[in-house]
Amino acid sequence: MTKTDDIIESLVSDLKPVPRNAPWRRFALCIVPALGLSLLLMLTILGLRVDMPEVLMLPVFWIKSTYNALIAVAAFLTLYQLSRPDGSEGRFFGLLTTIFAGMAAVAAIQLMMAPIETYRALILGSSARHCPLLIFGFAMPVYAGTIWALRRGAPMDLRLTGLVAGIAAGAAGAWVYSWFCTENGMPFVLIWYSLGILLTSALGVFTGPRLLRW
């Protein structure tokens, strides 16, 4: 037996079988508590909407929540694939475009049905300045948990993985923030919520390759 064979043998001698659901468990254990922390921070710092019982009956609230949830779920499922050496983004960006286009259509319909004098409120609301920053802040625990989960995988394209991780965390942060946000304009959600997600995705692009390097 050669020296190389000895090295290989020493490396594999302590290997143990890994359960098939281990990657899913790893993602859940890292991301779910992080999402819970984001929710706790939102409740502690901002609190729920004061009109929550009434707003739960409004379609616009659930459209806003669903928009962010769909992006987050699609991104996390893609990250599971990217965490493997042979993984790829698949149809993620096409699906992301479809979700964004659907929200844009809803926003356009709301504008067409609303009086012109309400356009400013529907687009800018009263919180456009701080909405993206709050989304970015509430996304940070989820981003940290996501990076932790990915570091225990074997992603190959670190910049792409960082980008998708940022999108996933940003969408999760936007979903958390939606439980406080009093804005009911779909154009507002399309622009300012998406900007918050974009900020987190930019963070992922720049920090992913560094944080995920083996």
Side-chain angles (χ1 to χ4, degrees):
M1 182 177 290
T2 66
K3 185 176 182 180
T4 301
D5 293 331
D6 292 337
I7 294 174
I8 295 174
E9 182 66 25
S10 65
L11 289 173
V12 303
S13 60
D14 294 330
L15 290 180
K16 299 179 181 179
V18 178
R20 293 182 61 183
N21 63 344
W24 284 113
R25 187 183 305 170
R26 179 180 71 243
F27 265 70
L29 290 176
C30 293
I31 295 170
V32 173
L35 181 61
L37 177 58
S38 291
L39 283 167
L40 180 61
L41 288 173
M42 183 274 294
L43 292 172
T44 302
I45 298 171
L46 301 176
L48 290 174
R49 288 182 60 153
V50 294
D51 59 345
M52 184 57 69
E54 294 79 15
V55 82
L56 289 176
M57 306 300 294
L58 299 178
V60 289
F61 172 81
W62 293 109
I63 293 173
K64 174 170 58 176
S65 180
T66 301
Y67 172 64
N68 300 300
L70 286 176
I71 295 175
V73 169
F76 280 125
L77 290 175
T78 302
L79 282 177
Y80 176 76
Q81 297 298 325
L82 289 172
S83 68
R84 301 163 50 186
D86 60 343
S88 70
E89 75 275 15
R91 300 180 179 179
F92 171 67
F93 291 104
L95 181 58
L96 188 64
T97 301
T98 301
I99 296 171
F100 185 84
M103 190 64 192
V106 172
I109 291 172
Q110 188 182 42
L111 284 175
M112 288 188 294
M113 296 179 64
I116 295 178
E117 58 268 21
T118 65
Y119 280 14
R120 180 179 177 84
L122 290 174
I123 296 172
L124 296 177
S126 60
S127 57
R129 292 182 179 179
H130 58 259
C131 170
L133 296 178
L134 285 170
I135 288 173
F136 183 83
F138 291 130
M140 287 303 96
V142 183
Y143 184 68
T146 302
I147 292 297
W148 182 259
L150 290 168
R151 283 182 60 85
R152 300 177 67 182
M156 297 300 293
D157 191 333
L158 302 187
R159 192 169 299 278
L160 173 62
T161 305
L163 169 64
V164 180
I167 293 173
W175 179 82
V176 168
Y177 177 68
S178 71
W179 291 88
F180 161 79
C181 177
T182 58
E183 306 291 353
N184 292 323
M186 296 298 96
F188 179 95
V189 175
L190 179 70
I191 297 170
W192 304 106
Y193 273 58
S194 299
L195 179 58
I197 297 172
L198 185 62
L199 289 175
T200 316
S201 66
L203 175 70
V205 169
F206 288 108
T207 63
R210 296 174 178 83
L211 297 176
L212 297 174
R213 186 176 294 118
W214 296 7

